[in-house]
Amino acid sequence: MSVAPPPSTTLCVATSPQGGGLARFLTILAVMGCINSAAAEAIEPPLGLPPVPAEVTGTPAMRRLGEKLFFDRSLSANGTLSCAMCHIPAQGLASNQSALSIGMEGRTLRRNAPSLYNVVFKKFLFHDGRETDLAAQVWGPLLAADEMGNSGIGPLIARLRADADYEPLFEAAFPGEGATMMTLGRAIAAYEASFLRGGGRFDRAIYGGERVALTPEEWRGYELFIGKAGCAACHVIGAETALFTDQSWHNTGVGFQSGPAGGKRLVQLAPGVLQNVDLAAVGLAQTGAPNDIGRFEITNAPADRWAYTTPMLRGVSESSPYMHDGSLRTLAEVVGFYDRGGGANPSLDPKIRPLDLTAEEKAAIVAFLEAL
C-alpha cells in the first residue's frame, strides 16, 4: 500500500547541474517543483516597501524554525558561533562592537557584518554581490573555514537530524523532508525575510503625505540627499517605495585606501570605549596594496576593482561602524568622506566627486539618515 505525500509537500530527486553553483541549483529545483511554495504565506510590507516575495517568506512554521537556526551556535563546527552573533538584532542586525567580523576561534575576518534589514529585497548579497539567492547565501558563512567552519554540508545536516529538538520543527515546516541542505537554507531565508524596516517617519512624510513627520532639518537633509549631495543616485528613492539601493556596486575609494598600514588607529575596545592603538605593536601593521579588491574577485573585470554593493539605509543609525571594512565610525564621518570626494584611485566611480557641503548641510544629511 502506498501513501501519497501531503498536498503541501513536493518530493523529487535531482542532481546538481554542472556550473552555476548552489543558487542556480535551487532555482532549477524551484522550477521543477522541488521547492514547494503553495503553502507560503505573504507578509504585508510596511509603508514604503515593495511586496515581499511569498516564495521566500514561506510559512510561520518555516520562520519559527529559521529563527531557532539563526540563533543556534551548534550550527558552527565547534558550537561557539551563530548567525546572530554577527547580525545582532539590538544592533541593527549588524555588530557595533567590531569594525571587522569575528569568526572561528576569534579570527578577524576581512569585512564588516552588513545589516540584514530588508535583506529579502537585495538582488546581490554579501559586500561583493557574489550570491543572488537568500536560501543559498547561508551556506557561504556555514562552510567558510574562518567563519562557522563546517567541513561540509553532510556533517552539519547529520548533527541536525540527530537533534531531537529539531525533528518536530523540520517536520512542521517541511513535512516529509526533514533536515536537508535545501530546507535549512529555506528556513533561515524565511526568517530573514521577516527583517522588514519601513513605515517610519520618512515613509509617512514621503509616501503618506504627513509632512510634519519630518523636522525642517530632516527635510533639508532629504532635499540635499536627492539633490546637491547626489546620494540618491545610488541610494535610490522610488515614487512609491524606497529600498535606498540601486542593486549595483560602486568604487567609492574606501576599499582602495583601507587596511592598516602602520601608525596608530582608533580601536573600539568595548561599547563606547575607544583607544588609540599602535598597529605595529600588536602585529597589525602591513605594507603594500590592500588585498581586498571587492567585486573584482567575483567578475575579474578591471572596472570592478574596489567596488562593493550599495547598502540599503533603513535603520542605518543603528548599524555602525560603516563601509565594507567598518572604517568609518559615525554617519558624520561617512558624510564627510563623500563630501571630500571619496578616496581617489584609478577606478573611482564617476558619481563620486567633492560636494562642497557646508557644516550645516552635512548635519542636515546626518539628521535625515537618522530619521530612516
Side-chain angles (χ1 to χ4, degrees):
M1 175 180 173
S2 62
V3 180
S8 62
T9 302
T10 301
L11 303 179
C12 94
V13 177
T15 57
S16 179
Q18 297 298 312
L22 180 57
R24 180 167 176 257
F25 187 33
L26 287 171
T27 301
I28 290 174
L29 289 179
V31 172
M32 291 172 61
C34 303
I35 300 176
N36 178 58
S37 61
E41 298 180 10
I43 296 178
E44 184 66 27
L47 181 66
L49 295 184
V52 186
E55 66 272 16
V56 182
T57 62
T59 65
M62 292 179 193
R63 295 193 288 275
R64 285 192 294 271
L65 171 59
E67 181 177 13
K68 179 174 174 61
L69 291 165
F70 191 85
F71 286 91
D72 191 349
R73 299 187 186 196
S74 75
L75 264 65
S76 64
N78 62 2
T80 62
L81 296 174
S82 70
C83 305
M85 291 178 71
C86 284
H87 302 285
I88 305 168
Q91 298 179 16
L93 291 165
S95 176
N96 304 152
Q97 273 72 46
S98 56
L100 302 176
S101 296
I102 306 300
M104 182 60 57
E105 299 175 337
R107 299 171 197 169
T108 299
L109 306 181
R110 290 198 305 167
R111 295 172 181 168
N112 176 262
S115 171
L116 297 184
Y117 282 139
N118 298 329
V119 68
V120 68
F121 301 115
K122 289 217 72 171
K123 293 182 180 179
F124 299 95
L125 301 160
F126 295 108
H127 286 295
D128 53 24
R130 65 183 180 273
E131 189 56 80
T132 58
D133 184 286
L134 194 57
Q137 172 274 332
V138 66
W139 285 102
L142 286 172
L143 298 178
D146 58 353
E147 294 191 49
M148 298 179 78
N150 290 285
S151 59
I153 296 169
L156 173 55
I157 295 302
R159 292 204 304 273
L160 291 174
R161 289 176 176 171
D163 189 323
D165 290 341
Y166 273 113
E167 183 177 359
L169 293 175
F170 271 99
E171 180 61 25
F174 303 98
E177 295 183 65
T180 69
M181 176 185 74
M182 301 297 177
T183 57
L184 183 149
R186 285 276 288 116
I188 294 179
Y191 178 56
E192 291 177 336
S194 69
F195 297 160
L196 300 178
R197 194 63 181 270
R201 292 192 297 116
F202 163 81
D203 301 286
R204 298 203 309 272
I206 302 300
Y207 301 117
E210 188 182 336
R211 187 170 181 84
V212 295
L214 293 179
T215 68
E217 184 183 34
E218 290 163 352
W219 272 112
R220 177 61 175 145
Y222 167 71
E223 291 164 358
L224 289 162
F225 189 93
I226 64 174
K228 177 180 177 181
C231 311
C234 298
H235 298 285
V236 178
I237 298 175
E240 298 181 357
T241 62
L243 293 179
F244 290 92
T245 180
D246 58 0
Q247 304 284 13
S248 188
W249 41 88
H250 302 276
N251 175 347
T252 66
V254 173
F256 182 79
Q257 65 182 21
S258 67
K264 291 188 175 182
R265 180 170 176 177
L266 197 63
V267 175
Q268 183 169 247
L269 303 178
V273 180
L274 301 171
Q275 179 69 49
N276 277 309
V277 175
D278 187 329
L279 298 176
V282 294
L284 292 178
Q286 68 181 36
T287 59
N291 61 3
D292 185 345
I293 48 180
R295 180 73 179 168
F296 176 82
E297 297 179 3
I298 311 305
T299 65
N300 290 319
D304 288 338
R305 288 177 297 180
W306 305 295
Y308 302 87
T309 54
T310 305
M312 298 175 175
L313 298 182
R314 292 180 182 273
V316 68
S317 63
E318 303 170 23
S319 59
S320 63
Y322 303 105
M323 307 305 192
H324 75 279
D325 59 354
S327 58
L328 301 180
R329 295 178 297 113
T330 67
L331 290 173
E333 289 184 10
V334 173
V335 173
F337 171 79
Y338 285 116
D339 182 50
R340 295 189 298 273
N345 72 85
S347 301
L348 184 68
D349 192 288
K351 292 185 177 71
I352 307 301
R353 52 180 173 74
L355 302 176
D356 194 27
L357 298 170
T358 67
E360 291 76 14
E361 288 174 332
K362 286 187 278 190
I365 293 174
V366 171
F368 170 69
L369 293 173
E370 290 174 343
L372 298 179

